[in-house]
Coordinates of all heavy atoms in Angstrom, one line a residue:
M1 N 38.0 11.0 -128.4 CA 39.0 11.3 -127.5 C 38.4 11.7 -126.1 O 37.6 12.6 -126.1 CB 40.0 12.4 -128.0 CG 41.0 12.8 -127.1 SD 41.9 14.3 -127.5 CE 42.9 13.9 -128.8
A2 N 38.8 11.1 -125.1 CA 38.2 11.4 -123.8 C 39.0 12.6 -123.2 O 40.2 12.7 -123.4 CB 38.4 10.2 -122.9
R3 N 38.2 13.4 -122.4 CA 38.8 14.5 -121.7 C 38.3 14.3 -120.3 O 37.1 14.3 -120.1 CB 38.4 15.9 -122.3 CG 39.2 17.0 -121.5 CD 38.9 18.3 -122.2 NE 40.0 19.2 -121.6 CZ 39.8 20.6 -121.6 NH1 38.7 21.0 -121.9 NH2 40.7 21.3 -121.1
V4 N 39.2 14.1 -119.3 CA 38.9 13.9 -117.9 C 39.5 15.0 -117.1 O 40.5 15.5 -117.2 CB 39.5 12.5 -117.5 CG1 39.2 12.3 -116.0 CG2 39.0 11.3 -118.3
A5 N 38.5 15.5 -116.2 CA 39.0 16.5 -115.3 C 38.7 16.1 -113.8 O 37.7 15.6 -113.5 CB 38.1 17.8 -115.6
V6 N 39.7 16.3 -113.1 CA 39.6 16.0 -111.6 C 40.2 17.2 -110.9 O 40.9 18.0 -111.4 CB 40.4 14.8 -111.1 CG1 39.7 13.5 -111.8 CG2 41.8 14.9 -111.4
G7 N 39.8 17.4 -109.6 CA 40.3 18.5 -108.9 C 40.4 18.3 -107.4 O 39.7 17.5 -106.9
G8 N 41.1 19.1 -106.7 CA 41.2 19.0 -105.3 C 42.3 19.9 -104.8 O 43.0 20.7 -105.5
T9 N 42.5 20.0 -103.5 CA 43.6 20.7 -102.8 C 44.8 19.9 -102.7 O 45.9 20.5 -102.7 CB 43.1 21.2 -101.4 OG1 41.8 22.0 -101.6 CG2 44.1 22.0 -100.7
F10 N 44.7 18.6 -102.5 CA 45.9 17.7 -102.6 C 46.9 18.2 -101.5 O 48.1 18.3 -101.8 CB 46.5 17.7 -103.9 CG 45.6 17.1 -105.1 CD1 44.9 17.9 -105.8 CD2 45.5 15.7 -105.1 CE1 44.1 17.4 -106.8 CE2 44.7 15.1 -106.1 CZ 44.0 16.1 -107.0
D11 N 46.4 18.3 -100.3 CA 47.3 18.6 -99.1 C 46.7 18.0 -97.9 O 45.8 18.5 -97.2 CB 47.4 20.1 -99.0 CG 48.4 20.6 -97.9 OD1 49.4 20.0 -97.8 OD2 48.1 21.6 -97.2
P12 N 47.4 16.9 -97.4 CA 48.5 16.2 -98.0 C 47.9 15.2 -99.2 O 46.7 14.9 -99.0 CB 49.0 15.5 -96.9 CG 47.9 15.2 -95.9 CD 47.0 16.4 -96.1
I13 N 48.7 14.8 -99.9 CA 48.3 13.8 -100.9 C 48.2 12.4 -100.2 O 49.1 12.0 -99.5 CB 49.3 13.7 -102.1 CG1 49.3 15.0 -102.9 CG2 48.9 12.5 -103.0 CD1 50.4 15.0 -103.9
H14 N 47.1 11.7 -100.4 CA 46.8 10.5 -99.6 C 46.4 9.4 -100.6 O 46.3 9.7 -101.8 CB 45.8 10.7 -98.5 CG 44.5 11.3 -98.9 ND1 43.6 10.7 -99.7 CD2 44.1 12.6 -98.7 CE1 42.6 11.6 -99.9 NE2 42.8 12.7 -99.3
D15 N 46.1 8.2 -100.1 CA 45.7 7.1 -101.0 C 44.4 7.4 -101.8 O 44.3 6.7 -103.0 CB 45.5 5.8 -100.1 CG 46.9 5.3 -99.6 OD1 47.9 5.7 -99.9 OD2 46.8 4.4 -98.6
G16 N 43.5 8.1 -101.2 CA 42.3 8.4 -102.0 C 42.6 9.2 -103.2 O 42.1 9.1 -104.3
H17 N 43.7 10.2 -103.1 CA 44.0 11.0 -104.2 C 44.7 10.1 -105.3 O 44.4 10.3 -106.5 CB 45.0 12.1 -103.7 CG 44.4 13.2 -102.9 ND1 45.0 13.6 -101.7 CD2 43.3 14.0 -103.2 CE1 44.2 14.5 -101.3 NE2 43.3 14.8 -102.0
I18 N 45.5 9.3 -104.8 CA 46.2 8.3 -105.8 C 45.2 7.6 -106.6 O 45.3 7.3 -107.7 CB 47.2 7.5 -105.1 CG1 48.3 8.4 -104.4 CG2 47.9 6.5 -106.1 CD1 49.1 9.3 -105.4
A19 N 44.2 7.0 -105.8 CA 43.1 6.3 -106.5 C 42.3 7.0 -107.5 O 42.0 6.6 -108.6 CB 42.2 5.6 -105.4
L20 N 42.0 8.3 -107.1 CA 41.3 9.2 -108.0 C 42.1 9.5 -109.3 O 41.6 9.4 -110.4 CB 41.0 10.5 -107.3 CG 40.4 11.6 -108.1 CD1 39.0 11.3 -108.6 CD2 40.5 13.0 -107.4
L21 N 43.4 9.8 -109.1 CA 44.3 10.1 -110.3 C 44.5 8.9 -111.1 O 44.5 8.9 -112.4 CB 45.6 10.6 -109.7 CG 45.5 11.9 -109.1 CD1 46.9 12.3 -108.3 CD2 45.3 13.1 -110.1
R22 N 44.6 7.6 -110.4 CA 44.8 6.4 -111.2 C 43.6 6.2 -112.2 O 43.7 5.9 -113.4 CB 44.9 5.2 -110.3 CG 45.0 3.8 -111.0 CD 45.2 2.7 -110.1 NE 46.6 2.8 -109.5 CZ 46.8 3.0 -108.3 NH1 45.7 3.1 -107.4 NH2 48.0 3.2 -107.8
R23 N 42.4 6.4 -111.6 CA 41.2 6.2 -112.5 C 41.1 7.3 -113.6 O 40.7 7.0 -114.7 CB 39.9 6.3 -111.6 CG 38.7 6.0 -112.3 CD 38.7 4.6 -112.8 NE 37.4 4.2 -113.5 CZ 37.3 3.5 -114.5 NH1 38.3 2.8 -115.0 NH2 36.2 3.2 -115.1
A24 N 41.5 8.5 -113.3 CA 41.5 9.6 -114.3 C 42.4 9.3 -115.4 O 42.1 9.4 -116.6 CB 41.8 11.0 -113.6
F25 N 43.6 8.7 -115.1 CA 44.5 8.3 -116.1 C 44.1 7.2 -116.9 O 44.4 7.1 -118.2 CB 46.0 8.2 -115.6 CG 46.6 9.5 -115.1 CD1 47.1 9.6 -113.8 CD2 46.8 10.5 -116.0 CE1 47.7 10.9 -113.4 CE2 47.4 11.8 -115.6 CZ 47.8 11.9 -114.3
E26 N 43.4 6.2 -116.3 CA 42.8 5.2 -117.0 C 41.8 5.6 -118.0 O 41.7 5.2 -119.2 CB 42.2 4.2 -116.1 CG 43.2 3.4 -115.2 CD 42.5 2.5 -114.1 OE1 41.3 2.6 -113.9 OE2 43.2 1.8 -113.4
L27 N 40.8 6.4 -117.6 CA 39.8 6.9 -118.4 C 40.4 7.8 -119.5 O 39.8 7.9 -120.6 CB 38.7 7.7 -117.6 CG 37.9 6.8 -116.7 CD1 37.1 7.7 -115.6 CD2 37.0 5.8 -117.4
G28 N 41.3 8.5 -119.2 CA 41.9 9.5 -120.2 C 43.0 9.0 -120.9 O 43.8 9.8 -121.5
K29 N 43.2 7.8 -120.9 CA 44.5 7.1 -121.6 C 44.8 7.6 -123.0 O 45.8 8.0 -123.3 CB 44.3 5.6 -121.6 CG 45.5 4.9 -122.1 CD 45.3 3.4 -122.0 CE 46.5 2.6 -122.6 NZ 46.3 1.4 -122.9
D30 N 43.7 7.7 -123.8 CA 44.0 8.1 -125.2 C 43.5 9.6 -125.4 O 43.3 10.0 -126.6 CB 43.2 7.2 -126.2 CG 43.9 5.8 -126.1 OD1 45.1 5.6 -126.0 OD2 43.1 4.8 -126.1
G31 N 43.3 10.2 -124.4 CA 42.8 11.7 -124.5 C 43.6 12.6 -123.6 O 44.9 12.6 -123.7
E32 N 42.9 13.3 -122.8 CA 43.5 14.3 -122.0 C 43.1 14.2 -120.5 O 41.8 14.1 -120.3 CB 43.2 15.7 -122.5 CG 43.8 16.9 -121.8 CD 43.4 18.3 -122.4 OE1 42.5 18.3 -123.2 OE2 44.0 19.2 -121.9
V33 N 43.9 14.5 -119.6 CA 43.6 14.5 -118.1 C 44.0 15.9 -117.7 O 45.1 16.3 -117.9 CB 44.4 13.4 -117.3 CG1 44.1 13.7 -115.8 CG2 43.9 12.1 -117.8
V34 N 43.0 16.7 -117.2 CA 43.3 18.0 -116.6 C 43.2 17.9 -115.1 O 42.1 17.4 -114.6 CB 42.3 19.0 -117.2 CG1 42.5 20.3 -116.6 CG2 42.5 19.1 -118.7
I35 N 44.1 18.2 -114.3 CA 44.0 18.2 -113.0 C 44.0 19.7 -112.4 O 44.8 20.5 -112.6 CB 45.2 17.4 -112.3 CG1 45.4 16.1 -112.9 CG2 45.1 17.6 -110.7 CD1 46.7 15.4 -112.5
G36 N 42.8 19.9 -111.7 CA 42.6 21.2 -111.1 C 43.2 21.2 -109.7 O 42.9 20.3 -109.0
L37 N 43.8 22.2 -109.4 CA 44.5 22.4 -108.0 C 44.0 23.7 -107.5 O 44.1 24.7 -108.1 CB 46.0 22.3 -108.1 CG 46.8 22.5 -106.8 CD1 46.5 21.3 -105.9 CD2 48.3 22.5 -107.1
T38 N 43.3 23.6 -106.3 CA 42.7 24.8 -105.8 C 43.7 25.9 -105.4 O 44.9 25.7 -105.0 CB 42.0 24.5 -104.4 OG1 42.8 23.9 -103.6 CG2 40.7 23.8 -104.7
S39 N 43.3 27.2 -105.7 CA 44.2 28.3 -105.4 C 44.4 28.4 -103.9 O 43.6 27.8 -103.2 CB 43.6 29.6 -106.0 OG 42.3 29.9 -105.3
D40 N 45.3 29.2 -103.5 CA 45.5 29.4 -102.1 C 44.3 30.0 -101.4 O 43.9 29.5 -100.3 CB 46.7 30.3 -101.9 CG 48.1 29.7 -102.1 OD1 48.2 28.4 -102.1 OD2 49.1 30.4 -102.4
E41 N 43.7 31.0 -102.1 CA 42.5 31.6 -101.5 C 41.3 30.6 -101.4 O 40.8 30.7 -100.3 CB 42.2 32.8 -102.5 CG 43.2 33.9 -102.5 CD 44.4 33.6 -103.4 OE1 44.3 32.7 -104.2 OE2 45.4 34.2 -103.3
M42 N 41.1 29.9 -102.4 CA 39.9 29.0 -102.3 C 40.3 27.9 -101.3 O 39.3 27.5 -100.5 CB 39.7 28.3 -103.7 CG 38.5 27.5 -103.8 SD 38.3 26.9 -105.5 CE 36.9 25.9 -105.2
A43 N 41.4 27.3 -101.3 CA 41.7 26.2 -100.4 C 41.7 26.7 -98.9 O 41.2 26.0 -98.0 CB 43.1 25.7 -100.6
R44 N 42.1 27.9 -98.6 CA 42.1 28.4 -97.2 C 40.7 28.8 -96.8 O 40.5 28.8 -95.6 CB 43.1 29.4 -97.2 CG 44.6 28.8 -97.2 CD 45.7 29.9 -97.3 NE 47.0 29.2 -97.5 CZ 48.0 29.7 -98.1 NH1 48.0 31.0 -98.4 NH2 49.2 29.0 -98.2
S45 N 39.9 29.3 -97.7 CA 38.7 29.8 -97.3 C 37.7 28.7 -96.9 O 36.7 29.0 -96.1 CB 37.9 30.5 -98.5 OG 37.6 29.7 -99.5
S46 N 37.9 27.4 -97.2 CA 37.0 26.3 -96.9 C 37.6 25.4 -95.9 O 37.0 24.4 -95.6 CB 36.7 25.6 -98.2 OG 37.9 25.0 -98.7
R47 N 38.7 25.8 -95.2 CA 39.3 24.9 -94.2 C 39.8 25.7 -93.0 O 40.1 26.8 -93.1 CB 40.6 24.3 -94.8 CG 40.2 23.2 -95.8 CD 41.5 22.7 -96.6 NE 41.1 21.7 -97.4 CZ 40.5 21.9 -98.6 NH1 40.1 23.0 -99.0 NH2 40.1 20.9 -99.4
S48 N 39.6 24.9 -91.8 CA 40.1 25.6 -90.6 C 41.6 25.3 -90.4 O 42.2 26.1 -89.7 CB 39.3 25.2 -89.4 OG 39.3 23.8 -89.3
R49 N 42.1 24.2 -91.0 CA 43.5 23.9 -90.7 C 44.4 24.7 -91.8 O 43.9 25.1 -92.9 CB 43.7 22.4 -91.0 CG 43.3 21.9 -92.4 CD 43.7 20.4 -92.4 NE 43.3 19.9 -93.7 CZ 43.9 20.0 -94.9 NH1 45.1 20.7 -94.9 NH2 43.5 19.4 -95.9
S50 N 45.7 24.7 -91.6 CA 46.5 25.4 -92.5 C 46.7 24.5 -93.8 O 46.6 23.3 -93.7 CB 47.9 25.6 -91.9 OG 48.5 24.4 -91.6
V51 N 46.9 25.2 -94.9 CA 47.1 24.6 -96.3 C 48.4 25.2 -96.7 O 48.6 26.5 -96.7 CB 45.9 24.9 -97.2 CG1 46.2 24.3 -98.5 CG2 44.6 24.4 -96.6
R52 N 49.2 24.4 -97.2 CA 50.5 24.8 -97.9 C 50.3 25.5 -99.1 O 49.2 25.5 -99.7 CB 51.4 23.6 -98.2 CG 51.9 23.0 -96.9 CD 52.7 21.7 -97.1 NE 52.1 20.8 -98.1 CZ 52.6 20.4 -99.3 NH1 53.8 20.7 -99.5 NH2 52.0 19.5 -100.1
S53 N 51.3 26.3 -99.6 CA 51.1 27.2 -100.8 C 50.8 26.4 -102.0 O 51.1 25.2 -102.1 CB 52.4 28.0 -101.0 OG 53.5 27.2 -101.5
Y54 N 50.2 27.1 -103.0 CA 49.8 26.4 -104.2 C 51.1 25.8 -104.9 O 51.1 24.7 -105.4 CB 49.2 27.5 -105.2 CG 48.9 27.0 -106.6 CD1 47.7 26.4 -106.8 CD2 49.9 27.0 -107.6 CE1 47.4 25.8 -108.1 CE2 49.6 26.5 -108.9 CZ 48.4 25.9 -109.1 OH 48.1 25.3 -110.4
E55 N 52.2 26.6 -104.9 CA 53.4 26.2 -105.4 C 53.9 24.8 -104.8 O 54.4 24.0 -105.6 CB 54.5 27.2 -105.4 CG 54.2 28.4 -106.3 CD 53.2 29.4 -105.7 OE1 52.8 29.3 -104.5 OE2 52.7 30.2 -106.4
S56 N 54.0 24.7 -103.5 CA 54.4 23.5 -102.8 C 53.4 22.3 -103.2 O 53.9 21.3 -103.4 CB 54.3 23.8 -101.3 OG 55.3 24.7 -100.9
R57 N 52.2 22.6 -103.2 CA 51.1 21.6 -103.5 C 51.4 21.0 -104.9 O 51.3 19.9 -105.2 CB 49.8 22.0 -103.2 CG 49.5 22.2 -101.7 CD 48.1 22.6 -101.3 NE 47.9 24.1 -101.7 CZ 46.9 24.4 -102.6 NH1 46.1 23.6 -103.2 NH2 46.8 25.7 -102.9
E58 N 51.6 22.0 -105.8 CA 51.7 21.5 -107.2 C 53.1 20.8 -107.3 O 53.0 19.7 -108.0 CB 51.8 22.8 -108.1 CG 52.1 22.5 -109.6 CD 52.2 23.7 -110.6 OE1 52.3 24.8 -110.0 OE2 52.1 23.4 -111.8
E59 N 54.1 21.2 -106.7 CA 55.4 20.4 -106.8 C 55.2 18.9 -106.3 O 55.6 18.1 -106.9 CB 56.5 21.1 -106.0 CG 57.8 20.5 -106.2 CD 58.9 21.3 -105.4 OE1 58.8 22.5 -105.2 OE2 59.8 20.6 -104.9
D60 N 54.6 18.9 -105.1 CA 54.3 17.5 -104.6 C 53.4 16.7 -105.4 O 53.5 15.5 -105.5 CB 53.7 17.7 -103.1 CG 54.7 18.1 -102.1 OD1 56.0 18.2 -102.4 OD2 54.3 18.4 -101.0
L61 N 52.4 17.3 -106.0 CA 51.5 16.6 -106.9 C 52.2 16.1 -108.1 O 52.1 14.8 -108.6 CB 50.3 17.5 -107.3 CG 49.2 17.0 -108.2 CD1 48.7 15.6 -107.5 CD2 48.2 18.0 -108.4
R62 N 53.0 16.9 -108.8 CA 53.8 16.5 -109.9 C 54.7 15.4 -109.5 O 55.0 14.4 -110.3 CB 54.7 17.7 -110.5 CG 53.8 18.6 -111.2 CD 54.6 19.7 -111.9 NE 53.6 20.8 -112.4 CZ 53.1 20.7 -113.6 NH1 53.2 19.5 -114.3 NH2 52.3 21.6 -114.1
T63 N 55.4 15.5 -108.3 CA 56.3 14.4 -107.9 C 55.6 13.0 -107.7 O 56.0 12.0 -108.1 CB 57.1 14.8 -106.6 OG1 57.8 16.0 -106.9 CG2 57.8 13.8 -106.1
A64 N 54.4 13.2 -107.0 CA 53.6 12.0 -106.8 C 53.1 11.3 -108.1 O 53.1 10.0 -108.2 CB 52.3 12.3 -106.0
I65 N 52.8 12.1 -109.1 CA 52.3 11.6 -110.4 C 53.5 10.9 -111.1 O 53.3 9.8 -111.7 CB 51.7 12.6 -111.2 CG1 50.3 13.0 -110.6 CG2 51.4 12.2 -112.7 CD1 49.7 14.3 -111.1
K66 N 54.6 11.5 -111.0 CA 55.8 10.9 -111.6 C 56.2 9.6 -111.0 O 56.4 8.5 -111.6 CB 57.0 11.9 -111.5 CG 58.3 11.3 -111.9 CD 58.4 11.0 -113.4 CE 59.8 10.5 -113.8 NZ 59.8 9.9 -115.1
K67 N 56.1 9.6 -109.6 CA 56.5 8.3 -108.8 C 55.4 7.2 -109.0 O 55.8 6.1 -109.3 CB 56.6 8.6 -107.5 CG 56.9 7.5 -106.6 CD 56.9 7.9 -105.0 CE 57.1 6.8 -104.1 NZ 56.9 7.1 -102.7
C68 N 54.1 7.6 -109.0 CA 53.1 6.6 -109.1 C 52.8 6.1 -110.4 O 52.3 5.0 -110.6 CB 51.8 7.0 -108.4 SG 52.1 7.3 -106.5
F69 N 52.9 7.0 -111.4 CA 52.3 6.6 -112.8 C 53.3 6.8 -113.9 O 53.1 6.6 -115.0 CB 51.1 7.6 -113.1 CG 50.0 7.5 -112.0 CD1 49.8 8.6 -111.2 CD2 49.3 6.3 -111.8 CE1 48.9 8.5 -110.1 CE2 48.4 6.3 -110.8 CZ 48.1 7.4 -110.0
G70 N 54.6 7.4 -113.6 CA 55.6 7.5 -114.5 C 55.3 8.6 -115.5 O 55.9 8.6 -116.6
I71 N 54.5 9.6 -115.2 CA 54.0 10.6 -116.1 C 54.8 11.8 -115.7 O 54.6 12.4 -114.6 CB 52.5 10.8 -116.1 CG1 51.8 9.6 -116.5 CG2 52.2 12.1 -116.9 CD1 50.3 9.6 -116.3
D72 N 55.5 12.5 -116.7 CA 56.3 13.7 -116.5 C 55.4 15.0 -116.9 O 55.6 16.0 -116.2 CB 57.5 13.7 -117.3 CG 58.6 12.8 -116.9 OD1 58.8 12.8 -115.6 OD2 59.3 12.1 -117.6
D73 N 54.7 14.8 -118.1 CA 54.1 16.0 -118.5 C 52.6 15.9 -118.1 O 51.8 15.2 -118.9 CB 54.2 16.0 -120.0 CG 53.7 17.3 -120.6 OD1 53.6 18.4 -119.9 OD2 53.3 17.3 -121.8
V74 N 52.2 16.6 -117.1 CA 50.8 16.6 -116.6 C 50.3 17.9 -116.8 O 50.9 18.8 -116.4 CB 50.7 15.8 -115.2 CG1 51.4 16.7 -114.2 CG2 49.3 15.7 -114.9
H75 N 48.9 18.0 -117.1 CA 48.3 19.3 -117.2 C 47.7 19.6 -115.8 O 46.6 19.1 -115.5 CB 47.3 19.2 -118.3 CG 46.5 20.6 -118.6 ND1 45.7 20.7 -119.5 CD2 46.5 21.7 -117.9 CE1 45.2 21.9 -119.6 NE2 45.7 22.5 -118.5
I76 N 48.2 20.6 -115.1 CA 47.7 21.1 -113.8 C 47.2 22.5 -114.1 O 48.0 23.3 -114.5 CB 48.7 20.9 -112.6 CG1 49.1 19.4 -112.5 CG2 48.1 21.5 -111.4 CD1 50.2 19.2 -111.4
T77 N 46.1 22.9 -113.7 CA 45.6 24.2 -113.8 C 45.1 24.7 -112.4 O 44.6 23.8 -111.6 CB 44.5 24.3 -114.8 OG1 44.2 25.6 -115.0 CG2 43.3 23.6 -114.5
K78 N 45.1 25.9 -112.1 CA 44.6 26.5 -110.8 C 43.1 26.7 -110.9 O 42.6 27.2 -111.9 CB 45.3 27.9 -110.7 CG 45.0 28.4 -109.3 CD 45.7 29.8 -109.0 CE 47.2 29.6 -108.9 NZ 47.9 30.9 -108.6
I79 N 42.5 26.3 -109.9 CA 41.1 26.3 -109.7 C 40.9 27.7 -108.8 O 41.3 27.7 -107.7 CB 40.5 25.2 -109.1 CG1 40.6 23.9 -109.9 CG2 39.0 25.4 -108.8 CD1 40.1 22.6 -109.2
E80 N 40.1 28.6 -109.4 CA 39.8 29.8 -108.6 C 38.3 29.8 -108.1 O 37.9 30.6 -107.4 CB 39.9 30.9 -109.5 CG 41.4 31.1 -110.0 CD 42.4 31.7 -109.1 OE1 42.0 32.1 -107.9 OE2 43.6 31.8 -109.3
D81 N 37.4 28.9 -108.7 CA 36.1 28.8 -108.3 C 35.6 27.3 -108.3 O 36.4 26.4 -108.6 CB 35.2 29.7 -109.3 CG 35.4 29.2 -110.7 OD1 35.2 28.0 -110.9 OD2 35.7 30.1 -111.6
Q82 N 34.3 27.1 -107.9 CA 33.8 25.8 -107.7 C 33.9 24.9 -109.1 O 34.0 23.7 -109.0 CB 32.4 25.8 -107.2 CG 32.3 26.3 -105.8 CD 32.9 25.3 -104.8 OE1 33.0 24.2 -105.0 NE2 33.3 25.9 -103.6
C83 N 33.8 25.5 -110.2 CA 33.7 24.8 -111.4 C 35.1 24.5 -112.0 O 35.3 23.5 -112.6 CB 32.9 25.5 -112.6 SG 31.1 25.6 -112.0
G84 N 36.0 25.4 -111.8 CA 37.3 25.3 -112.4 C 37.2 25.0 -113.9 O 36.3 25.6 -114.5
P85 N 38.1 24.3 -114.5 CA 38.2 24.0 -115.9 C 37.2 23.0 -116.5 O 36.9 22.9 -117.6 CB 39.6 23.6 -116.0 CG 39.9 22.7 -114.9 CD 39.2 23.6 -113.8
S86 N 36.4 22.5 -115.5 CA 35.5 21.3 -115.9 C 34.4 21.9 -116.9 O 33.8 21.1 -117.6 CB 35.0 20.6 -114.7 OG 34.1 21.5 -113.9
I87 N 33.9 23.2 -116.8 CA 32.9 23.7 -117.6 C 33.4 23.9 -119.0 O 32.6 24.2 -119.9 CB 32.3 25.0 -117.0 CG1 33.2 26.1 -116.9 CG2 31.6 24.6 -115.7 CD1 32.7 27.4 -116.4
Y88 N 34.6 23.9 -119.3 CA 35.2 24.1 -120.6 C 35.4 22.7 -121.3 O 35.8 22.6 -122.3 CB 36.5 25.0 -120.6 CG 36.2 26.2 -119.9 CD1 36.9 26.5 -118.6 CD2 35.4 27.2 -120.4 CE1 36.6 27.6 -118.0 CE2 35.3 28.4 -119.8 CZ 35.8 28.6 -118.5 OH 35.6 29.8 -117.8

């Protein structure tokens, strides 16, 4: 059973994000896909531009995944550090 982890800030969601997610769902088809979404603190500490709130980014990410891939139940977890859930 495959376990695939991807992560990002996803603000705004663009074609590159959709391609990344498409590949993750292909590789994790019979397993699990975990999507790490950077916390507000982490996202804002590494950018000079403004970043929307975690809640707004998560909602948009769920909406995009539903629209593009027809997936309702997706595992999104908050990333608080550089490794996020990938080390587990």
Side-chain angles (χ1 to χ4, degrees):
M1 176 196 283
R3 185 170 198 210
V4 179
V6 296
T9 300
F10 297 97
D11 185 39
I13 297 173
H14 53 70
D15 290 346
H17 290 131
I18 299 303
L20 173 70
L21 293 167
R22 178 176 293 112
R23 187 64 178 143
F25 288 123
E26 288 170 357
L27 293 172
K29 182 180 179 191
D30 296 320
E32 179 183 13
V33 175
V34 177
I35 302 170
L37 183 61
T38 55
S39 67
D40 289 338
E41 296 78 17
M42 186 174 176
R44 292 173 182 154
S45 71
S46 62
R47 287 169 177 73
S48 57
R49 64 174 173 80
S50 65
V51 176
R52 293 176 313 121
S53 72
Y54 178 90
E55 292 77 14
S56 295
R57 293 181 286 124
E58 180 181 11
E59 182 179 334
D60 286 354
L61 183 55
R62 288 185 186 281
T63 299
I65 290 168
K66 171 67 175 165
K67 178 182 174 188
C68 294
F69 309 109
I71 299 171
D72 285 317
D73 186 25
V74 63
H75 183 173
I76 297 175
T77 187
K78 189 180 286 189
I79 299 176
E80 302 279 358
D81 57 50
Q82 292 293 338
C83 293
S86 63
I87 62 173
Y88 306 110

